[in-house]
Amino acid sequence: MHTRRTVTVLKATRQTIPRTTSSASLSSFSLIHYRQPRPLSPPTPARQKHLTFLTNNNRPSHPRSIRSFLSSPEYYDVCIIGGGHAGCEAATGAARAGARTLLITQKLDTIGELSCNPSIGGVGKGTLVREVDALDGVMGKVADKAGIQFRMLNRSKGSAVWGPRAQIDRKLYKKHMQDIIFNYPNLEVRASSVSDLVFDHDMASSSSSSTPVWGAVKGIRLETGDMIPCSQVVICTGTFLSGEIHIGTKCFPAGRVNEAPATGLSTSLRAAGFHLGRLQTGTPARLDKNSIDFSRLEKQEGDDLPHPFSYLHRRVDNADNQIACYKTHTVPETHKLIRESLHLSVHIQETKKGPRYCPSLEAKVTRFGHKGNHMVWLEPEGYDSGLIYPNGLSCSMPEELQEPMMRTVPGLENVCMVRPAYGVEYDHVDPQELNSSLETKRIRGLFLAGQINGTTGYEEAAAQGCVAGINAGLAARNQPPLTITRADGFIGVMIDDLVSKGVEEPYRMFTSRSEYRMTLRCDNADTRLTEIGHMAGLISPERWATYLSDRDAMQRGTDVLNSAVLSPQGWERYGFEVTRDGVMRSAFELLRNPVITIDTLIRSGAVPGLAELKPHIKSRISIDATYAPHLPRQLADLEAFHTDESLMLDPNMDYTQVRGLSEEVRERLQRFRPTTLGAAKRMEGMTPASAVHLLKHARRTWSASKRSAQVSDLETTALGTVRIASSA
């Protein structure tokens, strides 16, 4: 008896939109099936050897109709669909992982487009950019070249909540990003539209899992009819997934202004069993710079010594040519016009949720009716741009009412609107459908990154793209995935939040989302992640050499400071006021005093051997010294976290057999299927008692080898952690 293969193709039916230009990354889809017309002739010896190599490395088998492409120039390991922030990081990440990678986008000119605000970074977000850079990503390097104003936010607070941010020249950013993408090793770029995704259902699973494997990626088909076989696909659609723009009462399908959405993909994803939701975002109008009276507004300059995003850079390109931003605010008259037009805005009336932390002006006026004004930042879009981005005036009012509303704002009395503000509503996939590698549970080889996962922001998209691309590349080479936990970085915090809790509103990264932010700072992303990336083969020789040089310099400087130990009277002889308590103190401990710096220690002559330290090394040593007294407690928390994370759970566990669980907890476990006790404990609705029952069941049902390797060593500590949580 012969086994018949069934291959599924998601077939496009593009929607035509009058007076718009299609540049959506992914076309629309509907499900069809086809059968192989006939068996192919036996492969040549060379090809047979190649297939044997693939089989020996346990790569999923390909249908015969696709297998013949594997040794041809048209075969790619990874295909990235979309050239936005997630797509650029995914493409370069997969290429760094050693995979032959193809980035497909509708227009080459839109690669690296800043579709909304002309800025990179911020509180929480800036740390994400530095973590992407620590993994040898590209966003931070490009931002350093395209930035026209740099500021360290929260400078007056502790460095654990600092947020590096840069105002960006749109044209420069796109230029430098394209220079990298078009010349990146292992990466090819093609301007085309993807019409089909090809799957092999021989990989389908009939397990008892609530998320059975529906199939495996085998390739993509272009609108030209050409088929490109590949084993991994990363989809980065942004707001294009059934996107709809709202301006007042007018609604029309679009992912971005004048760009058509991917309308059929949502139907196809639902057909595969994915859970989809609907979210909202928006962008403010663009204003004519020459129509604004800046003389009445508060001016904000950049930092005198800008901090680069990239660890490879000691200086940003435009440090001596920074452009100012200006602050203004709304007034009661602004709010009055907003309230009077609420019934004319379909966007604000919808039940779909928009971003809580970057809300529209209508949402701010509605939620905070007691406030008399809301801050507005007027941000330049570039050196040679005549446009101003009014950060804080995002709305979806009727176009004819937007300019009168903005003319109530101080400094904008005579403003001319160049392009109206609008809201966008779009589909997203429930991120609980993903593994922590950002591969979907239902379709092997399919990865999702960016707003399709329910996040908002360039930086969140770039971080997901970096992880998804790297893991797609590693999967193509049959390597284990790169795992970044909550203890490793903000990237790990974000991904864990997404896959364990899902989203009800667009997810944005903040320092407050991390329970370990004293160790997850924007200054030390390289010490946390670069070695992890190096072990996975992702780090370039240049970056590795830079990292080792900085690490060694920090260690030498710290050793010198710790070796200089004096009594209070001894330090006073060098001009330092120290409490006379008879306690011997090192120079490293003295740095906890904010008035004492490494430079003052050098000038005093008390600690020789520090003069050769570079400024960025001095800064990092000083930050480490400041947080040193607080780290023991954080390290204890981290140890408990790692204990829970090392206790693995069977991904195919039958939760109906776990005694003592409530139906709500049982249902959540069955749907999410956590792989560790730590992930289970972080789930919404999970109680300490439920964690104990889960641990007992795992102990009873695991195989003897797993039990001896994991449970016996960790049971006591894990139960202790649960008891502490229960007592609290």
Side-chain angles (χ1 to χ4, degrees):
M1 180 181 295
H2 296 285
T3 301
R4 175 178 295 171
R5 283 188 183 274
T6 303
V7 180
T8 302
V9 178
L10 297 183
K11 183 67 178 177
T13 53
R14 179 174 291 283
Q15 179 173 358
T16 302
I17 302 175
R19 295 187 297 277
T20 62
T21 302
S22 169
S23 78
S25 302
L26 199 59
S27 300
S28 329
F29 293 70
S30 60
L31 290 169
I32 66 169
H33 292 77
Y34 74 83
R35 255 185 294 166
Q36 295 181 137
R38 59 182 177 82
L40 298 177
S41 57
T44 63
R47 185 174 300 161
Q48 183 68 52
K49 182 178 180 181
H50 181 65
L51 291 176
T52 302
F53 171 79
L54 296 177
T55 303
N56 288 342
N57 281 276
N58 298 317
R59 179 178 288 180
S61 60
H62 294 267
R64 282 188 182 179
S65 58
I66 296 174
R67 197 178 300 165
S68 61
F69 287 92
L70 292 179
S71 59
S72 72
E74 274 296 295
Y75 177 79
Y76 293 90
D77 296 309
V78 181
C79 286
I80 312 296
I81 303 174
H85 301 288
C88 289
E89 294 294 349
T92 53
R96 283 199 306 284
R100 188 183 181 207
T101 305
L102 176 65
L103 171 62
I104 300 179
T105 183
Q106 181 71 22
K107 292 181 178 179
L108 299 183
D109 185 56
T110 60
I111 290 176
E113 187 81 56
L114 295 170
S115 58
C116 191
N117 55 304
S119 65
I120 296 290
V123 177
K125 291 171 171 282
T127 304
L128 285 177
V129 178
R130 301 217 81 195
E131 291 181 352
V132 168
D133 183 75
L135 292 169
D136 222 357
V138 296
M139 174 176 270
K141 290 183 283 191
V142 175
D144 288 346
K145 292 181 174 296
I148 57 178
Q149 188 202 83
F150 292 80
R151 288 183 64 85
M152 184 65 75
L153 306 184
N154 281 347
R155 169 74 80 174
S156 61
K157 301 179 181 179
S159 57
V161 294
W162 285 1
R165 182 187 186 275
Q167 201 66 33
I168 300 293
D169 183 304
R170 292 185 187 276
K171 293 180 181 178
L172 286 178
Y173 189 89
K174 188 159 65 170
K175 173 186 178 299
H176 290 298
M177 181 62 77
Q178 291 179 10
D179 286 345
I180 290 177
I181 296 297
F182 295 153
N183 297 285
Y184 209 83
N186 283 344
L187 174 60
E188 298 178 38
V189 184
R190 183 177 300 186
S192 187
S193 296
V194 176
S195 61
D196 313 322
L197 291 179
V198 184
F199 300 106
D200 179 9
H201 287 294
D202 278 8
M203 303 300 297
S205 163
S206 58
S207 70
S208 61
S209 167
S210 64
T211 311
V213 176
W214 187 77
V217 167
K218 291 303 170 189
I220 62 174
R221 189 179 298 280
L222 306 180
E223 282 191 345
T224 59
D226 295 330
M227 177 181 170
I228 301 177
C230 62
S231 62
Q232 319 291 323
V233 170
V234 185
I235 298 179
C236 312
T237 53
T239 59
F240 284 83
L241 198 61
S242 293
E244 184 178 77
I245 283 182
H246 298 161
I247 304 178
T249 58
K250 293 187 294 186
C251 304
F252 53 92
R256 209 161 38 204
V257 65
N258 293 328
E259 298 186 33
T263 54
L265 178 56
S266 297
T267 301
S268 299
L269 291 172
R270 286 192 179 93
F274 286 98
H275 298 275
L276 270 66
R278 197 83 171 148
L279 293 174
Q280 292 180 337
T281 188
T283 189
R286 304 302 190 268
L287 310 180
D288 182 353
K289 179 170 66 176
N290 295 325
S291 65
I292 298 174
D293 181 8
F294 293 104
S295 64
R296 302 176 50 196
L297 307 180
E298 179 182 336
K299 188 176 184 180
Q300 184 191 66
E301 302 282 4
D303 291 341
D304 293 334
L305 295 174
H307 284 71
F309 283 105
S310 177
Y311 288 96
L312 294 178
H313 298 157
R314 299 292 170 251
R315 178 180 170 85
V316 300
D317 283 18
N318 303 310
D320 299 326
N321 190 24
Q322 298 191 65
I323 295 179
C325 295
Y326 293 85
K327 184 170 75 171
T328 184
H329 55 84
T330 61
V331 296
E333 179 63 19
T334 316
H335 302 175
K336 179 175 179 292
L337 293 177
I338 290 289
R339 292 190 187 96
E340 291 174 350
S341 66
L342 285 177
H343 67 289
L344 300 175
S345 176
V346 65
H347 194 71
I348 199 68
Q349 294 177 40
E350 292 288 350
T351 58
K352 318 307 184 291
K353 291 194 175 182
R356 175 188 299 269
Y357 301 105
C358 186
S360 66
L361 187 55
E362 296 103 325
K364 286 189 282 190
V365 170
T366 303
R367 294 178 193 169
F368 310 106
H370 61 284
K371 294 196 66 173
N373 63 77
H374 294 282
M375 189 183 304
V376 177
W377 286 102
L378 302 180
E379 304 175 352
E381 299 212 339
Y383 285 121
D384 60 354
S385 173
L387 298 180
I388 291 294
Y389 179 93
N391 193 339
L393 289 181
S394 176
C395 70
S396 58
M397 297 172 67
E399 183 174 346
E400 64 275 12
L401 300 182
Q402 290 187 27
E403 195 171 84
M405 179 272 293
M406 285 184 285
R407 289 187 173 184
T408 64
V409 176
L412 305 185
E413 290 85 355
N414 299 303
V415 75
C416 294
M417 184 175 68
V418 177
R419 195 186 82 185
Y422 61 86
V424 185
E425 187 177 297
Y426 57 95
D427 280 350
H428 75 97
V429 174
D430 181 354
Q432 290 179 296
E433 299 273 4
L434 305 173
N435 296 311
S436 59
S437 65
L438 297 184
E439 183 181 21
T440 63
K441 298 175 182 177
R442 297 180 184 275
I443 299 177
R444 293 181 182 174
L446 179 62
F447 295 76
L448 307 180
Q451 285 177 290
I452 192 173
N453 291 337
T455 61
T456 181
Y458 303 153
E459 303 80 5
E460 290 84 351
Q464 292 171 73
C466 182
V467 172
I470 286 171
N471 284 325
L474 292 174
R477 298 177 57 236
N478 302 296
Q479 300 296 317
L482 176 75
T483 301
I484 301 176
T485 70
R486 299 183 71 90
D488 296 323
F490 278 14
I491 293 177
V493 172
M494 175 179 65
I495 291 176
D496 185 69
D497 284 348
L498 292 173
V499 302
S500 63
K501 301 176 183 177
V503 295
E504 294 184 356
E505 60 190 23
Y507 181 98
R508 179 177 179 178
M509 192 65 223
F510 283 108
T511 55
S512 58
R513 294 191 185 273
S514 171
E515 57 271 59
Y516 310 118
R517 56 183 176 272
M518 280 193 293
T519 53
L520 306 184
R521 308 186 305 267
C522 65
D523 66 282
N524 67 357
D526 60 339
T527 61
R528 294 184 277 110
L529 296 176
T530 299
E531 290 193 28
I532 295 175
H534 180 68
M535 288 187 289
L538 306 170
I539 305 302
S540 67
E542 177 191 8
R543 182 175 296 275
W544 185 241
T546 300
Y547 168 72
L548 292 179
S549 175
D550 286 354
R551 185 193 66 180
D552 293 346
M554 289 179 61
Q555 187 60 57
R556 287 194 302 270
T558 302
D559 290 344
V560 169
L561 289 164
N562 277 320
S563 65
V565 180
L566 295 173
S567 65
Q569 292 80 3
W571 286 117
E572 284 182 1
R573 285 196 293 270
Y574 286 100
F576 297 105
E577 293 186 6
V578 180
T579 303
R580 291 195 174 192
D581 53 8
V583 176
M584 303 291 285
R585 292 177 176 84
S586 69
F588 188 76
E589 292 174 301
L590 254 59
L591 291 177
R592 301 172 191 173
N593 187 331
V595 302
I596 299 176
T597 66
I598 292 179
D599 286 333
T600 59
L601 288 170
I602 294 173
R603 288 194 296 269
S604 72
V607 188
L610 298 176
E612 71 277 6
L613 292 179
K614 297 178 180 178
H616 73 284
I617 298 296
K618 295 177 187 177
S619 174
R620 295 184 62 173
I621 293 175
S622 298
I623 292 172
D624 285 346
T626 301
Y627 282 96
H630 310 286
L631 291 184
R633 180 174 178 179
Q634 183 111 114
L635 292 175
D637 293 339
L638 287 169
E639 185 177 353
F641 170 82
H642 286 301
T643 297
D644 288 344
E645 290 301 296
S646 62
L647 185 57
M648 306 300 292
L649 298 178
D650 183 356
N652 296 313
M653 183 183 294
D654 184 1
Y655 290 102
T656 62
Q657 302 301 312
V658 182
R659 303 170 192 157
L661 297 182
S662 68
E663 284 304 314
E664 178 188 2
V665 170
R666 198 186 311 274
E667 181 181 343
R668 289 179 182 273
L669 287 167
Q670 193 74 12
R671 181 181 177 189
F672 173 46
R673 311 204 69 79
T675 57
T676 68
L677 178 65
K681 289 168 65 176
R682 291 191 297 274
M683 286 175 48
E684 294 284 346
M686 191 69 173
T687 63
S690 297
V692 171
H693 291 306
L694 182 60
L695 178 63
K696 289 180 178 178
H697 179 82
R699 182 179 56 187
R700 286 196 306 268
T701 58
W702 273 349
S703 65
S705 60
K706 288 183 179 179
R707 187 158 57 246
S708 62
Q710 295 175 339
V711 178
S712 297
D713 295 335
L714 300 171
E715 176 184 352
T716 303
T717 307
L719 284 172
T721 304
V722 171
R723 290 193 189 102
I724 292 171
S726 180
S727 300

